[in-house]
Amino acid sequence: MVPALPLGEEDTERAPAGSEQQQQETQERVQVAPSPSKAEQGKEDAEMSVEEQDEEGAEIAPAASEQQQQETEERVQQIAPAASEEKEKEREREKKVAKMVEAMRLLEPLPAKITELLESAGYRRVRDRSEHPALELMKMELTDIVDSLKLMLPALKDSRVGVELELEFHWLNGLIPFARDVHSLVRQVADSRLYTLVRRAVRFFRPSNKVVLYSMMEESFRAAEYANKFRCLFLASGSSGQALPPCPGLPLFGIDRPTKKLLRWLMPSEGTEKRLRLMAILGPDGIGKTTLAMEVQRRLQQCQGSGGHYSFHCNVVARVSNSSHRKELLLRDILSQISELTVPVLTSDQSSSKATMELLVHHVREYLQAKRYFILIDDLWHGGDWEEIKDAFPNNDLDSRLFITTRVQSIAWSCRSDSDDVLVHEMKPLNWMDSQRLLLVKAFGSVEGSSSSYSMKLLCDKILMRCEGIPLFITAMADWLKEKYQQQQHEEKEEQKHAFASGEQVPQIPECLREYSVIDNRMKEAKLYFSQLVDRNFISSGAANCKPGSNEAETRQWHVNQVLLQILASKSAKLGFAFTSSTLVETATGHGSVSTRMPRRLALYHPDPLLPSVIQTLDLSRTRWLTVSGAVSGIPLNKFIYLVVLDLEGWVNLNNEDLEHICTCKMFVLEYLSIAHTRVSKLPDEIKKLQNLMVLDVRRTKISALPFGVSELKRLYHLDIRGTAIRGLGKEIVGLQSTLRTLLIGAEGMIHSTQAAPWVPHDVLQHFQGLHTLATIDLTRQSESFIMALGDLGNLKVLGVTWSFHQCTHRAYRKALQLSITKMELRLKSLTIHCGIGCSMEFLGDIFLGEPWVLEKFKVTAGRFAHVPRWINKKLEFLSFVQITICGPITDDLERLGELLHLRCLILGLDFIPQEAITIGNVGFPDLQRFSVDCQMPWLTFKAGAMRKLRYLQLKLCTCPVTSQTSVPSGIGCLGSLSEVALCYNARYTTSRNVKVTVEAVTKQVAAHPNQIDLFINDYQDYSVQAADEETENNAIRTQRQSDAEIKTWCSSGT
């Protein structure tokens, strides 16, 4: 947080008044603070009476007194902490409310003051100055923050909802000082511009004060990001009590007949009785219950003005939230639609909550008593809720209608015990024709779509068979189909087109969607939460199998299930959090869920013919994030002048002219720019105009030199030039010495790369004492003094270097590297050394460590050790990644590696042929999750209980003489957590006996493993390795059918 600037004269005069006002507000809050409730007083009386009874009982029955007194004390001890905890929560909630009110008091007038400031100063005077867009951005971000606070404040004032959102408001602790800093900054800028001479205004905007302005602008952006995120989480949680019904944009298929059926149910009953009729739509999530209900409600509104059978005094639509206080929120929502009456918020103890519910039920019932009403309650999902709210809807003999949608069968039919007039409509999946029409219209905009090609028809049929008539799955698959078709259009050869479409694998609909509710969304351990997402196939590793030249960086890439991704994109657009190409076009053209929020985040990954024209019509002044990749075209970058993040990685249509346009279109507030993996060949000198830039990523481009304009980027702290044609770094980066913290050069990973890293002179390196990360720097052409100088970089935490065979044989070079590493031992967290073939790195084992390292990663590629260095032992408490190659006996080394308590990934190379089995017992490796062995003959034996957390096992092998049929991996079945096995070998060794025996042995063990194991052999998955028996297959079929029809509410709240 930027320190508050000194108050001006006006602030000094107003400060005491503000303090008196705050004291008065505090006194008022104290005066209106609720006294202990009757329930609390009653609880105390009950405790006292219990104690008195126990004392009396002790006199009458001495034999039983001890046991009774002990039980009484236990009850009192249980009650007292609970009451104390409730009071503490109430106090915390009041503090948070006070903080939010104070923040709003400071922030709410600031946008208007900034507007007045800019207008008074004159637009022409500041249009070429960088402070104008900074102030404009601050104004918009402050407006967004205030809007979000206004939305969330009523719920936070509600004690029950506020406590539930407690974790989401930790950012309030920093919001108050931020609000005061902005308030002070705006005051000072106003003083310098409005009340003094022009020269004083110029003096304020000298470089040091500009840094303050930029820092405050950045803080505004960060605060608005938090506010926007919590706003979306708040709406998604349903805590606001606001429904998010879908907007009928696309044509509805298979819904006309059930709509007419339900409309007939709304008509008055025959005969003289005009009882309340309960109606329910029953069906699993994703099948279209809400869509059908909203269509009925829409047609009912059309007939409302004409009177007759469909005329109701009250027409209400309310949705049940996911909040634990959903019943109260539901009744409050209904009451707000039928009356202006409000119910006061009471305290959060149980008796007050019950009293509030009784009061709400009474008010709703009293208002509806003399009216004919139609009330639609969407998604009644908890069985006990109906019993508590049913009394709010009177049977007033006026032909009223109560309409609910639910996915729980017991709820729908339990209504029959409360009323004789109950009708239940059970939803059915769409038939084949309606499913096909929905898929084509959603994907291509018409029923004909792009189904004229035979290959596309085959792909559509595969999708429809997998979706089985569930509309949610069909619409999600339609987005995937549209992306694949547009990719196909960019193929040049006709043969490639047909092969692509007909052979394309349709994404699986994850079985685990129906089990998602098992995941506790309040888990504090993100690691456990993440692993559960992996277990349920929501996400999968981007490096699921062995690939030539792969490295550990790929294991950090994850893929989201395609069907789930489309569902998330749709929900994200509905909440206004982020928009993709499809959701942006659908929203703008009225075919999607309408969001009143301007797009703050855009992720444009695939081309759409309507996308350029849609973007031209939008107000993009509030867009802060823009990601473009693939074959997207027609993006007017000049409209995004207030971008903070611009990620163009992988955008095939980006060229030098576009980049120059970005640098000259006055994106003064841009902080992040990535043009990685594009065809750009020149970085323009105009890059210096992006004065606020902090991150510049030009990986894998054809850029051959950095312009001198880069040195004028005074806020740049991250520079990535890996994989470029840049051959040297010189004075063009010296100007970054005070801010640069991360410098990434050379080829990505430097594995199997013939490309030399850029040359970094000694006199340039010595300027960058603030570097935290330096990778990968080429030491093969450097002097001993340069290697020694690496140890003098006092803040270096991550280091990656290349090392040659010549340096391994030269004592002076070895000594220099030893000394440099020793100097960095107390701060170095990651050390990577890419060695030349045949390098002996045994000299690193002689490093003397006076204090335990904070090392987290140690990686040596191609270089060999006779044994694991002695300093790699249990004292390295943080070491989690090790890659090392051993050329000697491994037994003792395995024991030492097994003592590393937090080792999670071990890549072990064995540069010898084992003469006996390498045994891994049940002791050691307590946290290991990924184990890779590179050996000519991986003769490993796993004992029962070995590597209990191991999930991924990779075996790299090559041809060598087979000593016996037993010299193969064994004991794989003892790895209880294993879920993936990969075998890698050169294709020319396929017929080798050693390879064939090893593959056969591993395959058999995987087939017999009790877990579901994914087996990859040279990058291809073997789906037939674990053949299921008949009972398992039948269970899988039933599970698949259920999962397709029972997707949970978190991904279908708008269906």
Side-chain angles (χ1 to χ4, degrees):
M1 179 63 64
V2 179
L5 296 175
L7 293 173
E9 296 177 359
E10 185 177 350
D11 296 296
T12 306
E13 295 174 358
R14 296 185 180 183
S19 302
E20 293 176 2
Q21 182 180 359
Q22 293 178 13
Q23 293 175 2
Q24 183 178 357
E25 292 175 356
T26 305
Q27 293 175 359
E28 291 175 357
R29 286 197 298 269
V30 172
Q31 293 173 1
V32 300
S35 59
S37 63
K38 293 182 180 179
E40 293 174 350
Q41 187 66 38
K43 187 183 297 181
E44 295 176 359
D45 295 341
E47 293 173 5
M48 294 176 60
S49 62
V50 168
E51 292 175 357
E52 292 173 358
Q53 291 175 7
D54 284 346
E55 292 177 359
E56 183 180 355
E59 298 176 359
I60 298 175
S65 62
E66 284 188 23
Q67 182 178 358
Q68 293 179 358
Q69 185 174 0
Q70 183 177 358
E71 293 177 354
T72 302
E73 290 177 355
E74 290 178 355
R75 289 196 299 269
V76 172
Q77 290 175 359
Q78 292 175 357
I79 294 174
S84 176
E85 184 178 353
E86 288 294 333
K87 292 179 181 178
E88 182 64 26
K89 286 183 178 179
E90 183 67 18
R91 284 193 293 267
E92 288 296 323
R93 184 189 62 80
E94 290 178 353
K95 290 180 181 179
K96 293 179 184 297
V97 171
K99 286 182 179 180
M100 184 175 284
V101 171
E102 174 68 11
M104 288 185 61
R105 185 185 69 82
L106 292 171
L107 292 176
E108 194 166 10
L110 290 179
K113 291 184 178 180
I114 294 178
T115 300
E116 180 182 356
L117 170 65
L118 293 173
E119 291 177 352
S120 300
Y123 177 76
R124 292 185 178 181
R125 261 186 51 189
V126 298
R127 63 180 178 179
D128 293 329
R129 302 178 67 94
S130 56
E131 65 267 16
H132 185 278
L135 291 171
E136 283 284 359
L137 179 71
M138 286 180 61
K139 180 182 72 173
M140 290 184 286
E141 298 298 69
L142 292 173
T143 302
D144 283 349
I145 295 172
V146 171
D147 291 343
S148 298
L149 293 178
K150 285 181 177 179
L151 175 67
M152 294 181 286
L153 182 59
L156 186 60
K157 287 183 176 179
D158 187 326
S159 60
R160 289 161 295 280
V161 179
V163 169
E164 185 169 306
L165 292 175
E166 180 177 13
L167 294 177
E168 312 298 343
F169 284 91
H170 65 274
W171 59 287
L172 277 175
N173 294 328
L175 193 59
I176 295 295
F178 159 74
R180 290 172 179 162
D181 289 346
V182 178
H183 193 271
S184 178
L185 175 67
V186 172
R187 288 284 188 188
Q188 192 166 7
V189 175
D191 288 344
S192 64
R193 282 194 177 273
L194 297 179
Y195 305 114
T196 63
L197 299 176
V198 175
R199 61 183 181 182
R200 184 175 177 186
V202 175
R203 186 167 64 250
F204 175 81
F205 284 104
R206 61 181 182 267
S208 59
N209 286 327
K210 279 190 177 182
V211 172
V212 176
L213 177 63
Y214 289 148
S215 298
M216 196 58 64
M217 177 197 69
E218 182 183 347
E219 290 294 331
S220 301
F221 167 71
R222 300 285 182 264
E225 282 292 296
Y226 272 105
N228 180 264
K229 179 181 71 171
F230 291 135
R231 172 190 172 276
C232 294
L233 290 173
F234 176 73
L235 291 175
S237 69
S239 299
S240 63
Q242 297 180 3
L244 292 171
C247 178
L250 284 173
L252 302 177
F253 298 104
I255 205 173
D256 189 58
R257 291 185 62 186
T259 300
K260 293 179 179 178
K261 170 186 174 181
L262 295 175
L263 285 173
R264 286 197 299 271
W265 288 0
L266 293 178
M267 295 178 65
S269 306
E270 296 181 1
T272 58
E273 292 188 2
K274 297 183 178 181
R275 297 175 54 82
L276 169 67
R277 174 174 292 174
L278 303 181
M279 301 182 298
I281 300 179
L282 173 64
D285 285 320
I287 203 168
K289 301 185 300 298
T290 302
T291 303
L292 175 59
M294 294 305 297
E295 177 65 13
V296 171
Q297 199 268 346
R298 185 184 67 83
R299 296 192 187 185
L300 182 64
Q301 284 185 327
Q302 291 178 346
C303 302
Q304 188 76 13
S306 60
H309 301 315
Y310 299 114
S311 179
F312 293 90
H313 301 119
C314 298
N315 193 325
V316 177
V317 178
R319 179 175 177 81
V320 181
S321 73
N322 296 325
S323 169
S324 58
H325 309 285
R326 55 193 171 274
K327 302 182 293 294
E328 179 180 333
L329 291 172
L330 175 66
L331 293 179
R332 286 182 183 275
D333 188 13
I334 294 174
L335 187 61
S336 67
Q337 296 184 54
I338 63 178
S339 171
E340 297 181 356
L341 183 66
T342 58
V343 176
V345 177
L346 304 179
T347 56
S348 58
D349 58 78
Q350 186 176 358
S351 60
S352 296
S353 177
K354 183 178 180 181
T356 303
M357 278 296 299
E358 292 176 353
L359 188 60
L360 284 168
V361 169
H362 171 74
H363 284 311
V364 172
R365 183 179 184 87
E366 184 178 25
Y367 191 85
L368 295 177
Q369 187 65 49
K371 293 179 175 59
R372 187 184 184 216
Y373 58 86
F374 170 83
I375 297 180
L376 169 59
I377 301 176
D378 185 31
D379 197 15
L380 190 64
W381 56 272
H382 194 276
D385 292 352
W386 170 249
E387 295 299 322
E388 296 194 43
I389 67 172
K390 64 181 182 181
D391 291 337
F393 311 109
N395 184 3
N396 51 11
D397 294 328
L398 293 176
D399 269 328
S400 296
R401 297 292 182 260
L402 181 60
F403 201 178
I404 68 171
T405 69
T406 181
R407 57 184 179 270
V408 184
Q409 189 173 12
S410 59
I411 294 178
W413 295 104
S414 66
C415 298
R416 290 204 164 188
S417 61
D418 302 303
S419 175
D420 297 330
D421 195 1
V422 177
L423 300 174
V424 178
H425 172 73
E426 295 190 40
M427 296 290 295
K428 303 294 183 184
L430 297 178
N431 58 37
W432 184 271
M433 181 177 294
D434 288 332
S435 299
Q436 185 180 51
R437 294 166 66 192
L438 176 60
L439 177 66
L440 294 176
V441 171
K442 180 69 166 64
F444 307 113
S446 66
V447 175
E448 291 77 14
S450 299
S451 60
S452 56
S453 69
Y454 177 72
S455 58
M456 190 57 65
K457 286 183 179 179
L458 290 178
L459 191 58
C460 291
D461 290 345
K462 289 181 182 179
I463 292 175
L464 295 176
M465 291 177 64
R466 182 151 293 170
C467 293
E468 295 186 352
I470 305 298
L472 177 66
F473 295 155
I474 295 173
T475 54
M477 286 290 195
D479 292 332
W480 176 85
L481 177 64
K482 182 178 181 180
E483 292 181 15
K484 292 302 176 184
Y485 175 74
Q486 291 171 341
Q487 291 177 10
Q488 182 186 11
Q489 293 296 99
H490 288 81
E491 297 291 338
E492 296 180 355
K493 296 183 180 180
E494 191 69 22
E495 294 81 8
Q496 290 177 343
K497 288 188 193 178
H498 291 291
F500 175 83
S502 59
E504 183 71 22
Q505 292 292 327
V506 177
Q508 294 283 347
I509 297 174
E511 290 183 31
C512 49
L513 284 179
R514 66 187 185 89
E515 301 173 353
Y516 184 79
S517 60
V518 178
I519 301 178
D520 184 1
N521 60 1
R522 294 193 180 118
M523 288 181 179
K524 296 182 179 179
E525 294 294 335
K527 179 174 65 176
L528 178 60
Y529 180 78
F530 188 81
S531 65
Q532 291 190 5
L533 293 179
V534 176
D535 292 341
R536 286 158 173 78
N537 195 30
F538 284 120
I539 58 177
S540 58
S541 173
N545 46 59
C546 171
K547 296 181 181 179
S550 63
N551 58 77
E552 78 281 358
E554 295 183 3
T555 65
R556 294 192 292 268
Q557 300 175 5
W558 296 85
H559 299 305
V560 181
N561 180 277
Q562 288 286 343
V563 178
L564 186 62
L565 181 62
Q566 303 298 345
I567 295 172
L568 291 175
S570 177
K571 290 182 67 66
S572 178
K574 179 185 296 185
L575 295 172
F577 183 77
F579 293 84
T580 63
S581 302
S582 299
T583 56
L584 183 65
V585 171
E586 291 172 0
T587 301
T589 56
H591 291 165
S593 300
V594 175
S595 172
T596 57
R597 306 278 296 183
M598 291 296 103
R600 186 176 181 85
R601 302 169 185 85
L602 290 179
L604 312 178
Y605 296 129
H606 67 275
D608 190 299
L610 299 177
L611 187 59
S613 58
V614 166
I615 291 180
Q616 289 289 353
T617 62
L618 294 176
D619 176 14
L620 301 173
S621 61
R622 297 190 183 270
T623 303
R624 302 291 177 261
W625 300 68
L626 175 63
T627 301
V628 186
S629 64
V632 175
S633 60
I635 305 300
L637 295 174
N638 61 317
K639 288 179 66 68
F640 298 90
I641 58 175
Y642 291 108
L643 281 178
V644 177
V645 175
L646 180 57
D647 185 359
L648 306 179
E649 181 176 352
W651 188 18
V652 299
N653 292 322
L654 183 68
N655 52 42
N656 293 338
E657 290 74 18
D658 294 327
L659 182 58
E660 185 174 355
H661 185 67
I662 292 172
C663 297
T664 58
C665 69
K666 299 180 181 179
M667 292 187 181
F668 294 112
V669 298
L670 190 67
E671 295 182 0
Y672 178 99
L673 174 61
S674 174
I675 57 172
H677 296 267
T678 61
R679 297 181 297 177
V680 173
S681 59
K682 181 182 179 182
L683 194 63
D685 190 64
E686 287 78 8
I687 190 77
K688 62 187 177 184
K689 295 184 178 181
L690 304 179
Q691 284 293 301
N692 207 45
L693 198 63
M694 297 181 180
V695 177
L696 179 59
D697 183 0
V698 298
R699 286 172 295 131
R700 295 294 180 185
T701 59
K702 299 179 181 180
I703 294 175
S704 58
L706 291 178
F708 280 95
V710 171
S711 63
E712 299 185 31
L713 300 175
K714 299 305 181 182
R715 304 194 72 198
L716 191 71
Y717 70 83
H718 182 105
L719 178 61
D720 191 347
I721 59 173
R722 291 175 294 172
T724 63
I726 299 174
R727 292 294 174 262
L729 295 176
K731 296 181 180 180
E732 66 272 13
I733 66 168
V734 172
L736 305 176
Q737 56 183 319
S738 61
T739 59
L740 196 63
R741 297 294 178 264
T742 300
L743 179 59
L744 303 177
I745 58 180
E748 288 186 275
M750 298 296 292
I751 300 177
H752 307 299
S753 176
T754 58
Q755 180 180 348
W759 171 262
V760 181
H762 189 180
D763 59 343
V764 172
L765 181 66
Q766 65 184 3
H767 290 287
F768 292 91
Q769 294 297 317
L771 274 180
H772 293 170
T773 300
L774 178 61
T776 300
I777 189 165
D778 188 3
L779 299 184
T780 61
R781 298 178 290 164
Q782 297 288 358
S783 63
E784 304 163 21
S785 60
F786 183 92
I787 299 174
M788 289 284 292
L790 289 176
D792 297 328
L793 298 178
N795 294 291
L796 200 60
K797 299 178 180 179
V798 178
L799 175 63
V801 301
T802 59
W803 191 254
S804 68
F805 178 81
H806 165 70
Q807 291 170 315
C808 285
T809 60
H810 199 291
R811 181 178 178 181
Y813 280 104
R814 296 199 305 266
K815 191 68 173 177
L817 185 59
Q818 284 179 332
L819 292 175
S820 289
I821 295 175
T822 303
K823 289 180 182 179
M824 295 183 286
E825 62 176 326
L826 296 180
R827 60 180 182 275
L828 197 63
K829 293 186 177 181
S830 175
L831 176 61
T832 301
I833 305 175
H834 300 292
C835 304
I837 297 176
C839 285
S840 173
M841 304 300 292
E842 191 64 21
F843 68 93
L844 289 182
D846 298 331
I847 297 176
F848 174 76
L849 300 180
E851 297 290 340
W853 279 22
V854 294
L855 195 67
E856 299 175 2
K857 172 183 174 181
F858 178 68
K859 174 180 178 180
V860 178
T861 64
R864 299 178 301 173
F865 293 82
H867 297 281
V868 173
R870 290 173 297 175
W871 49 266
I872 296 183
N873 52 48
K874 58 184 178 182
K875 292 183 179 180
L876 297 179
E877 299 179 1
F878 304 101
L879 191 59
S880 61
F881 181 98
V882 173
Q883 179 172 347
I884 193 171
T885 300
I886 306 299
C887 57
I890 194 67
T891 303
D892 295 338
D893 294 327
L894 276 178
E895 291 181 2
R896 190 180 305 153
L897 291 170
E899 293 176 350
L900 299 173
L901 297 179
H902 296 97
L903 184 64
R904 296 178 182 175
C905 181
L906 174 60
I907 302 176
L908 184 62
L910 302 178
D911 196 10
F912 63 92
I913 299 177
Q915 299 303 310
E916 60 181 7
I918 300 173
T919 303
I920 301 177
N922 59 359
V923 178
F925 301 104
D927 203 24
L928 192 67
Q929 299 175 17
R930 298 179 66 88
F931 184 34
S932 175
V933 179
D934 188 351
C935 181
Q936 296 182 45
M937 187 175 65
W939 192 359
L940 302 175
T941 298
F942 298 95
K943 296 296 185 180
M947 297 182 173
R948 290 180 175 85
K949 293 186 178 181
L950 190 70
R951 302 173 58 86
Y952 174 80
L953 175 64
Q954 182 186 60
L955 302 176
K956 296 182 179 180
L957 60 150
C958 63
T959 184
C960 70
V962 179
T963 57
S964 69
Q965 291 293 333
T966 59
S967 58
V968 293
S970 61
I972 294 178
C974 297
L975 302 174
S977 300
L978 194 65
S979 61
E980 191 172 330
V981 176
L983 290 173
C984 303
Y985 55 85
N986 196 304
R988 64 188 178 194
Y989 299 143
T990 303
T991 58
S992 167
R993 187 183 175 195
N994 172 56
V995 172
K996 294 173 72 174
V997 170
T998 303
V999 171
E1000 182 180 356
V1002 172
T1003 302
K1004 287 183 179 179
Q1005 294 177 70
V1006 169
H1009 202 288
N1011 296 353
Q1012 182 66 40
I1013 305 293
D1014 295 330
L1015 176 62
F1016 293 88
I1017 301 178
N1018 278 357
D1019 206 10
Y1020 291 97
Q1021 185 172 0
D1022 188 347
Y1023 291 98
S1024 62
V1025 63
Q1026 289 183 310
D1029 54 25
E1030 183 177 355
E1031 181 180 357
T1032 303
E1033 288 181 350
N1034 292 336
N1035 289 336
I1037 292 173
R1038 287 195 297 269
T1039 300
Q1040 181 65 35
R1041 288 176 177 173
Q1042 292 173 0
S1043 66
D1044 292 348
E1046 297 179 359
I1047 190 169
K1048 293 301 177 182
T1049 54
W1050 71 277
C1051 59
S1052 63
S1053 60
T1055 4

